[in-house]
Amino acid sequence: MAHPADDLLLSFATGRADLPHRVMIEAHLAGCAPCRAAVAEVSAPGGALLSGLAAEAPSAALWNRVLSGIEAPRRPRPSLLASLPLPEAALAELPEIPQLRWRWGFAPGGRYAGLVRDPFTNSFLLIGHVPPRRAFPRHQHLGPEDVVLLRGGYEDEMGHYEAGQYVVYAPGTVHRPIVEPGEECWILTRLEKPNRLLGWAGWLQRLTS
């Protein structure tokens, strides 16, 4: 299985990871016991440090906010997010989305939608769906791209990937993912720059941009 890099797991455990990374890592952790153990291991020193501090009573204002949060009824997850094949922990990281705008994914039957953009890193998170045996056009990554497979699998020039795996593509990578037969493919993708489509799809991309 392909996993997030150790420094990314550390960034997640310490709260420094941006929002798209947090959602993607939560999606990966749902099916990856080794990475859950790694996150628990790097989180342990911070927990031990906190447990060693002298107890201090919270302020009345803070205590009231905690109580109101506990007593407040849980906000139901909007149906447009609940319909996505995302683990509950990944869904919990996402803000409310008033509308899910699906766009043509440049593959027959393929589609994608934006979920969130991080205001600090300017990275953005997409969810994509491609039917079995369909290929996404050959394209070049202008920036780094992280992918988590939620369902199904695909193969490209670099390898074969299955549900649960975390894949990282470096800037400049050129590839053509092909969804394996018999099962649709759902993926989460974190981008810092849009991809550049090549060939006929590149012409369409330029015409529609």
Side-chain angles (χ1 to χ4, degrees):
M1 173 171 291
H3 306 275
D6 289 343
D7 59 344
L8 182 54
L9 290 178
L10 177 61
S11 179
F12 170 79
T14 57
R16 292 185 292 109
D18 65 14
L19 181 52
H21 266 147
R22 294 203 308 271
V23 177
M24 296 186 70
I25 293 175
E26 288 286 13
H28 174 74
L29 293 180
C32 183
C35 284
R36 290 198 301 272
V39 170
E41 182 179 358
V42 298
S43 301
L49 178 62
L50 288 174
S51 65
L53 297 177
E56 182 178 344
S59 66
L62 175 60
W63 184 243
N64 288 333
R65 287 202 301 271
V66 171
L67 287 179
S68 64
I70 295 174
E71 296 170 355
R74 186 174 181 180
R75 175 170 53 86
R77 178 63 55 180
S79 59
L80 60 87
L81 288 181
S83 64
L84 301 178
L86 285 168
E88 186 60 34
L91 282 171
E93 291 283 353
L94 289 168
E96 287 193 26
I97 299 176
Q99 185 178 5
L100 200 59
R101 297 185 178 182
W102 291 102
R103 301 177 183 272
W104 177 45
F106 293 95
R111 56 179 179 155
Y112 71 93
L115 294 180
V116 70
R117 182 184 292 270
D118 189 277
F120 302 104
T121 64
N122 207 35
S123 63
F124 51 99
L125 181 68
L126 307 174
I127 187 166
H129 168 256
V130 182
R133 294 182 180 273
R134 302 299 187 184
F136 190 79
R138 185 175 299 278
H139 60 280
Q140 181 181 39
H141 296 287
L142 302 182
E145 177 179 83
D146 292 26
V147 173
V148 170
L149 282 85
L150 302 171
R151 288 184 184 171
Y154 70 86
E155 63 179 21
D156 61 15
E157 293 83 345
M158 274 64 75
H160 182 89
Y161 308 101
E162 297 287 346
Q165 292 190 315
Y166 195 107
V167 189
V168 178
Y169 295 101
T173 299
V174 175
H175 69 144
R176 181 174 179 262
I178 303 175
V179 176
E180 61 187 20
E183 192 172 6
E184 61 187 5
C185 184
W186 284 89
I187 64 170
L188 282 176
T189 302
R190 176 190 179 275
L191 293 170
E192 296 181 8
K193 295 181 179 180
N195 292 326
R196 175 186 292 149
L197 301 182
L198 305 175
W200 65 267
W203 285 99
L204 284 177
Q205 184 185 44
R206 290 188 288 273
L207 286 173
T208 57
S209 62

